[in-house]
Amino acid sequence: MSENLHTRAQNLLAQSLIEGLGVAEQSWLDAHFRECPDCCREAISARDLLRAFRNVPVSVPRDLAARTQMRVRLRAQESAQASTSSVLLWVITAASWLLGVFSAPLVWRGFTWVGAQWNLPKPVLEFGFVMWWVVPALVAVGVVLYQRSLSSAAGSKQP
């Protein structure tokens, strides 16, 4: 027999022990076991080993289910709070952008007035105008990242 048949038999044996086989594959495997005593011995020892593993007692703490349920509830509450704060952040961001767009002409007039009073060149005014919008956004990003680092640090400290 070729080595390919033995490899197929080993793969089918593993599959039959874990998830089961179809009728055609199971009949091929049974026929191969009748013809090949080595593969048959291997199948018997694999089934015996699996049976022995299933008979090994596994002790778990009595309160394992209760602790697991509690952890799942806590995680669900954390997720709900995070999603609520995320929605709030998006609403605030949208309001900020709308206010920024509608107030841009007024802010530009203020910058041109300051520039005219102090004789500032136009590139300085343009840079100041851009920074007027960029700095608050950078501060907001920094606050969000700081909050996330605090919440992830607090989450990793819980037992």
Side-chain angles (χ1 to χ4, degrees), residues 102-126:
F102 290 124
S103 66
L106 182 62
V107 171
W108 179 248
R109 284 187 195 146
F111 271 93
T112 55
W113 180 81
V114 168
Q117 293 297 318
W118 293 352
N119 293 326
L120 297 173
K122 190 171 181 178
V124 171
L125 295 177
E126 291 170 350

mmCIF file of all heavy atoms in Angstrom, residues 102-126:
data_model
loop_
_atom_site.group_PDB
_atom_site.id
_atom_site.type_symbol
_atom_site.label_atom_id
_atom_site.label_comp_id
_atom_site.label_asym_id
_atom_site.label_seq_id
_atom_site.Cartn_x
_atom_site.Cartn_y
_atom_site.Cartn_z
ATOM 1 N N PHE A 102 -19.578 77.514 10.474
ATOM 2 C CA PHE A 102 -20.411 78.721 10.458
ATOM 3 C C PHE A 102 -19.724 79.944 11.062
ATOM 4 O O PHE A 102 -20.065 81.065 10.717
ATOM 5 C CB PHE A 102 -21.744 78.460 11.158
ATOM 6 C CG PHE A 102 -22.648 77.543 10.384
ATOM 7 C CD1 PHE A 102 -23.132 76.391 10.962
ATOM 8 C CD2 PHE A 102 -22.985 77.813 9.070
ATOM 9 C CE1 PHE A 102 -23.953 75.538 10.251
ATOM 10 C CE2 PHE A 102 -23.807 76.966 8.348
ATOM 11 C CZ PHE A 102 -24.291 75.816 8.938
ATOM 12 N N SER A 103 -18.760 79.714 11.944
ATOM 13 C CA SER A 103 -18.094 80.865 12.558
ATOM 14 C C SER A 103 -16.789 81.241 11.857
ATOM 15 O O SER A 103 -16.149 82.226 12.238
ATOM 16 C CB SER A 103 -17.821 80.586 14.040
ATOM 17 O OG SER A 103 -16.875 79.544 14.179
ATOM 18 N N ALA A 104 -16.383 80.499 10.841
ATOM 19 C CA ALA A 104 -15.113 80.770 10.152
ATOM 20 C C ALA A 104 -15.036 82.196 9.586
ATOM 21 O O ALA A 104 -14.013 82.869 9.766
ATOM 22 C CB ALA A 104 -14.870 79.742 9.063
ATOM 23 N N PRO A 105 -16.077 82.695 8.914
ATOM 24 C CA PRO A 105 -15.962 84.070 8.401
ATOM 25 C C PRO A 105 -15.785 85.106 9.518
ATOM 26 O O PRO A 105 -15.001 86.050 9.373
ATOM 27 C CB PRO A 105 -17.300 84.300 7.674
ATOM 28 C CG PRO A 105 -17.810 82.936 7.360
ATOM 29 C CD PRO A 105 -17.309 82.052 8.455
ATOM 30 N N LEU A 106 -16.470 84.905 10.630
ATOM 31 C CA LEU A 106 -16.351 85.840 11.739
ATOM 32 C C LEU A 106 -14.946 85.785 12.350
ATOM 33 O O LEU A 106 -14.345 86.829 12.647
ATOM 34 C CB LEU A 106 -17.403 85.516 12.805
ATOM 35 C CG LEU A 106 -17.456 86.434 14.011
ATOM 36 C CD1 LEU A 106 -17.804 87.859 13.577
ATOM 37 C CD2 LEU A 106 -18.460 85.921 15.014
ATOM 38 N N VAL A 107 -14.417 84.578 12.493
ATOM 39 C CA VAL A 107 -13.064 84.435 13.051
ATOM 40 C C VAL A 107 -12.043 85.071 12.113
ATOM 41 O O VAL A 107 -11.101 85.730 12.540
ATOM 42 C CB VAL A 107 -12.749 82.940 13.325
ATOM 43 C CG1 VAL A 107 -11.290 82.742 13.694
ATOM 44 C CG2 VAL A 107 -13.650 82.391 14.419
ATOM 45 N N TRP A 108 -12.226 84.866 10.794
ATOM 46 C CA TRP A 108 -11.285 85.453 9.833
ATOM 47 C C TRP A 108 -11.312 86.988 9.921
ATOM 48 O O TRP A 108 -10.269 87.637 9.861
ATOM 49 C CB TRP A 108 -11.577 84.976 8.423
ATOM 50 C CG TRP A 108 -10.645 85.582 7.427
ATOM 51 C CD1 TRP A 108 -10.948 86.478 6.458
ATOM 52 C CD2 TRP A 108 -9.232 85.360 7.339
ATOM 53 N NE1 TRP A 108 -9.822 86.836 5.765
ATOM 54 C CE2 TRP A 108 -8.743 86.158 6.290
ATOM 55 C CE3 TRP A 108 -8.325 84.584 8.046
ATOM 56 C CZ2 TRP A 108 -7.411 86.192 5.934
ATOM 57 C CZ3 TRP A 108 -6.996 84.617 7.679
ATOM 58 C CH2 TRP A 108 -6.551 85.413 6.628
ATOM 59 N N ARG A 109 -12.505 87.543 10.076
ATOM 60 C CA ARG A 109 -12.587 89.009 10.216
ATOM 61 C C ARG A 109 -11.837 89.470 11.465
ATOM 62 O O ARG A 109 -11.177 90.510 11.450
ATOM 63 C CB ARG A 109 -14.043 89.455 10.298
ATOM 64 C CG ARG A 109 -14.734 89.438 8.985
ATOM 65 C CD ARG A 109 -16.119 90.046 9.086
ATOM 66 N NE ARG A 109 -16.878 89.696 7.889
ATOM 67 C CZ ARG A 109 -18.161 89.476 7.863
ATOM 68 N NH1 ARG A 109 -18.873 89.573 8.979
ATOM 69 N NH2 ARG A 109 -18.765 89.182 6.755
ATOM 70 N N GLY A 110 -11.959 88.691 12.549
ATOM 71 C CA GLY A 110 -11.227 89.037 13.772
ATOM 72 C C GLY A 110 -9.726 88.990 13.553
ATOM 73 O O GLY A 110 -8.985 89.870 14.015
ATOM 74 N N PHE A 111 -9.252 87.978 12.818
ATOM 75 C CA PHE A 111 -7.821 87.889 12.540
ATOM 76 C C PHE A 111 -7.354 89.032 11.645
ATOM 77 O O PHE A 111 -6.263 89.581 11.846
ATOM 78 C CB PHE A 111 -7.480 86.529 11.902
ATOM 79 C CG PHE A 111 -7.163 85.460 12.907
ATOM 80 C CD1 PHE A 111 -8.157 84.606 13.371
ATOM 81 C CD2 PHE A 111 -5.885 85.296 13.402
ATOM 82 C CE1 PHE A 111 -7.878 83.627 14.295
ATOM 83 C CE2 PHE A 111 -5.597 84.324 14.328
ATOM 84 C CZ PHE A 111 -6.599 83.476 14.787
ATOM 85 N N THR A 112 -8.143 89.387 10.650
ATOM 86 C CA THR A 112 -7.734 90.511 9.782
ATOM 87 C C THR A 112 -7.717 91.822 10.566
ATOM 88 O O THR A 112 -6.859 92.684 10.340
ATOM 89 C CB THR A 112 -8.656 90.639 8.554
ATOM 90 O OG1 THR A 112 -10.006 90.763 8.980
ATOM 91 C CG2 THR A 112 -8.505 89.454 7.634
ATOM 92 N N TRP A 113 -8.663 92.005 11.488
ATOM 93 C CA TRP A 113 -8.670 93.215 12.308
ATOM 94 C C TRP A 113 -7.418 93.273 13.189
ATOM 95 O O TRP A 113 -6.759 94.317 13.269
ATOM 96 C CB TRP A 113 -9.932 93.251 13.176
ATOM 97 C CG TRP A 113 -9.995 94.479 14.039
ATOM 98 C CD1 TRP A 113 -10.409 95.725 13.665
ATOM 99 C CD2 TRP A 113 -9.602 94.562 15.405
ATOM 100 N NE1 TRP A 113 -10.306 96.592 14.713
ATOM 101 C CE2 TRP A 113 -9.808 95.896 15.816
ATOM 102 C CE3 TRP A 113 -9.098 93.661 16.320
ATOM 103 C CZ2 TRP A 113 -9.526 96.342 17.089
ATOM 104 C CZ3 TRP A 113 -8.829 94.099 17.602
ATOM 105 C CH2 TRP A 113 -9.041 95.433 17.978
ATOM 106 N N VAL A 114 -7.062 92.126 13.837
ATOM 107 C CA VAL A 114 -5.853 92.079 14.662
ATOM 108 C C VAL A 114 -4.621 92.334 13.795
ATOM 109 O O VAL A 114 -3.705 93.071 14.182
ATOM 110 C CB VAL A 114 -5.741 90.722 15.414
ATOM 111 C CG1 VAL A 114 -4.364 90.557 16.032
ATOM 112 C CG2 VAL A 114 -6.825 90.616 16.471
ATOM 113 N N GLY A 115 -4.604 91.725 12.604
ATOM 114 C CA GLY A 115 -3.474 91.919 11.693
ATOM 115 C C GLY A 115 -3.335 93.364 11.260
ATOM 116 O O GLY A 115 -2.222 93.887 11.133
ATOM 117 N N ALA A 116 -4.472 94.043 11.026
ATOM 118 C CA ALA A 116 -4.428 95.446 10.628
ATOM 119 C C ALA A 116 -3.970 96.335 11.793
ATOM 120 O O ALA A 116 -3.229 97.300 11.581
ATOM 121 C CB ALA A 116 -5.806 95.897 10.139
ATOM 122 N N GLN A 117 -4.388 96.015 12.998
ATOM 123 C CA GLN A 117 -4.009 96.809 14.166
ATOM 124 C C GLN A 117 -2.516 96.682 14.463
ATOM 125 O O GLN A 117 -1.875 97.639 14.871
ATOM 126 C CB GLN A 117 -4.813 96.374 15.398
ATOM 127 C CG GLN A 117 -6.282 96.670 15.315
ATOM 128 C CD GLN A 117 -6.565 98.167 15.225
ATOM 129 O OE1 GLN A 117 -5.955 98.977 15.921
ATOM 130 N NE2 GLN A 117 -7.470 98.531 14.335
ATOM 131 N N TRP A 118 -1.964 95.478 14.272
ATOM 132 C CA TRP A 118 -0.562 95.237 14.619
ATOM 133 C C TRP A 118 0.353 95.154 13.400
ATOM 134 O O TRP A 118 1.519 94.787 13.533
ATOM 135 C CB TRP A 118 -0.425 93.958 15.429
ATOM 136 C CG TRP A 118 -1.060 94.048 16.800
ATOM 137 C CD1 TRP A 118 -1.578 95.138 17.415
ATOM 138 C CD2 TRP A 118 -1.215 92.957 17.700
ATOM 139 N NE1 TRP A 118 -2.052 94.818 18.646
ATOM 140 C CE2 TRP A 118 -1.839 93.465 18.860
ATOM 141 C CE3 TRP A 118 -0.897 91.617 17.663
ATOM 142 C CZ2 TRP A 118 -2.148 92.675 19.951
ATOM 143 C CZ3 TRP A 118 -1.209 90.840 18.762
ATOM 144 C CH2 TRP A 118 -1.832 91.364 19.893
ATOM 145 N N ASN A 119 -0.154 95.414 12.222
ATOM 146 C CA ASN A 119 0.611 95.369 10.972
ATOM 147 C C ASN A 119 1.286 94.008 10.769
ATOM 148 O O ASN A 119 2.489 93.928 10.484
ATOM 149 C CB ASN A 119 1.655 96.501 10.926
ATOM 150 C CG ASN A 119 0.990 97.862 10.854
ATOM 151 O OD1 ASN A 119 -0.062 97.996 10.243
ATOM 152 N ND2 ASN A 119 1.599 98.840 11.486
ATOM 153 N N LEU A 120 0.529 92.928 10.943
ATOM 154 C CA LEU A 120 1.060 91.573 10.761
ATOM 155 C C LEU A 120 0.952 91.159 9.295
ATOM 156 O O LEU A 120 -0.022 91.497 8.615
ATOM 157 C CB LEU A 120 0.288 90.574 11.633
ATOM 158 C CG LEU A 120 0.385 90.781 13.145
ATOM 159 C CD1 LEU A 120 -0.552 89.828 13.859
ATOM 160 C CD2 LEU A 120 1.808 90.577 13.617
ATOM 161 N N PRO A 121 1.956 90.438 8.781
ATOM 162 C CA PRO A 121 1.868 89.975 7.395
ATOM 163 C C PRO A 121 0.772 88.914 7.242
ATOM 164 O O PRO A 121 0.395 88.228 8.191
ATOM 165 C CB PRO A 121 3.247 89.389 7.115
ATOM 166 C CG PRO A 121 3.881 89.178 8.429
ATOM 167 C CD PRO A 121 3.210 90.073 9.405
ATOM 168 N N LYS A 122 0.273 88.769 6.013
ATOM 169 C CA LYS A 122 -0.819 87.843 5.731
ATOM 170 C C LYS A 122 -0.467 86.391 6.075
ATOM 171 O O LYS A 122 -1.329 85.667 6.603
ATOM 172 C CB LYS A 122 -1.254 87.965 4.274
ATOM 173 C CG LYS A 122 -2.527 87.215 3.984
ATOM 174 C CD LYS A 122 -3.057 87.508 2.605
ATOM 175 C CE LYS A 122 -4.352 86.735 2.413
ATOM 176 N NZ LYS A 122 -4.966 86.983 1.156
ATOM 177 N N PRO A 123 0.777 85.882 5.813
ATOM 178 C CA PRO A 123 1.083 84.493 6.199
ATOM 179 C C PRO A 123 0.951 84.239 7.701
ATOM 180 O O PRO A 123 0.537 83.163 8.123
ATOM 181 C CB PRO A 123 2.528 84.296 5.732
ATOM 182 C CG PRO A 123 2.705 85.266 4.628
ATOM 183 C CD PRO A 123 1.849 86.448 4.991
ATOM 184 N N VAL A 124 1.256 85.243 8.513
ATOM 185 C CA VAL A 124 1.116 85.084 9.966
ATOM 186 C C VAL A 124 -0.368 84.964 10.313
ATOM 187 O O VAL A 124 -0.763 84.138 11.146
ATOM 188 C CB VAL A 124 1.783 86.260 10.713
ATOM 189 C CG1 VAL A 124 1.450 86.229 12.197
ATOM 190 C CG2 VAL A 124 3.273 86.242 10.498
ATOM 191 N N LEU A 125 -1.193 85.771 9.667
ATOM 192 C CA LEU A 125 -2.638 85.696 9.902
ATOM 193 C C LEU A 125 -3.193 84.337 9.480
ATOM 194 O O LEU A 125 -4.009 83.737 10.191
ATOM 195 C CB LEU A 125 -3.364 86.801 9.137
ATOM 196 C CG LEU A 125 -3.077 88.234 9.560
ATOM 197 C CD1 LEU A 125 -3.816 89.206 8.660
ATOM 198 C CD2 LEU A 125 -3.468 88.431 11.005
ATOM 199 N N GLU A 126 -2.753 83.862 8.320
ATOM 200 C CA GLU A 126 -3.239 82.563 7.839
ATOM 201 C C GLU A 126 -2.801 81.433 8.770
ATOM 202 O O GLU A 126 -3.577 80.524 9.080
ATOM 203 C CB GLU A 126 -2.752 82.317 6.417
ATOM 204 C CG GLU A 126 -3.407 83.240 5.410
ATOM 205 C CD GLU A 126 -2.753 83.165 4.040
ATOM 206 O OE1 GLU A 126 -1.679 82.542 3.914
ATOM 207 O OE2 GLU A 126 -3.324 83.751 3.100
#
